[in-house]
């Protein structure tokens, strides 16, 4: 049984920063990819960033240069540092694990957290 728990969401003004954390527990596998996704009411869940076991990363064009995904395998926790936030970054952010390729497609992931809300005004 795998559990992913997100934290770090909140409300921030445009231009501000937040750091999201995704803590994994249970039968996690260190070699899988972990991703961050954003969901806005009325829109499909969007892949934001992903990281593989070797630390290779991929980002959506909309966040390149502003967001950074990183991981601490010893804990294990995956972080999403979000800088220069914009109102369009608002939404529910989900952590996902279990992908075997560096993909930003939700269907590639098997395990999901419950999400954390980010509001940028």
């Amino acid at each position: 049984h795998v559990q992913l728990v997100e934290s770090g969401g909140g409300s921030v003004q445009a231009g501000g920063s937040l750091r999201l954390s995704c803590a994994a527990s249970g039968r996690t596998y260190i070699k899988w990819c972990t991703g961050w996704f954003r969901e806005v009411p009325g829109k499909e869940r969007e892949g934001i960033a992903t990281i593989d076991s070797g630390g290779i990363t991929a980002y959506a064009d909309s966040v390149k240069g502003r967001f950074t995904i990183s991981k601490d395998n010893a804990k294990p926790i995956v972080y999403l540092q979000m800088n220069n936030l914009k109102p369009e970054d608002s939404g529910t952010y989900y952590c996902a694990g279990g992908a075997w390729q560096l993909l930003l497609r939700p269907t590639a992931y098997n395990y999901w957290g419950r999400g954390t809300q980010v509001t940028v005004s």
Side-chain angles (χ1 to χ4, degrees):
H1 180 65
V2 175
Q3 281 192 318
L4 300 174
V5 180
E6 304 94 336
S7 61
S11 297
V12 65
Q13 290 188 336
S17 298
L18 285 173
R19 189 177 79 157
L20 306 183
S21 298
C22 172
S25 62
R27 296 183 64 183
T28 59
Y29 189 59
I30 200 169
K31 287 191 177 296
W32 72 29
C33 299
T34 305
W36 283 97
F37 293 78
R38 177 172 64 212
E39 190 170 276
V40 177
K43 294 186 177 181
E44 291 186 357
R45 191 168 292 188
E46 174 190 11
I48 297 299
T50 184
I51 187 167
D52 72 6
S53 59
I56 304 299
T57 59
Y59 297 91
D61 288 342
S62 60
V63 305
K64 282 180 181 177
R66 301 188 298 121
F67 290 13
T68 303
I69 188 171
S70 62
K71 62 190 300 186
D72 183 343
N73 288 333
K75 292 186 177 181
I77 297 178
V78 173
Y79 302 99
L80 184 67
Q81 178 66 45
M82 306 187 294
N83 297 328
N84 191 21
L85 282 160
K86 304 176 182 180
E88 52 264 42
D89 294 321
S90 298
T92 303
Y93 282 70
Y94 295 90
C95 173
W100 298 103
Q101 296 182 61
L102 208 62
L103 297 173
L104 292 174
R105 188 173 66 238
T107 54
Y109 295 79
N110 298 313
Y111 307 103
W112 292 85
R114 293 189 175 184
T116 185
Q117 182 68 35
V118 171
T119 303
V120 185
S121 60

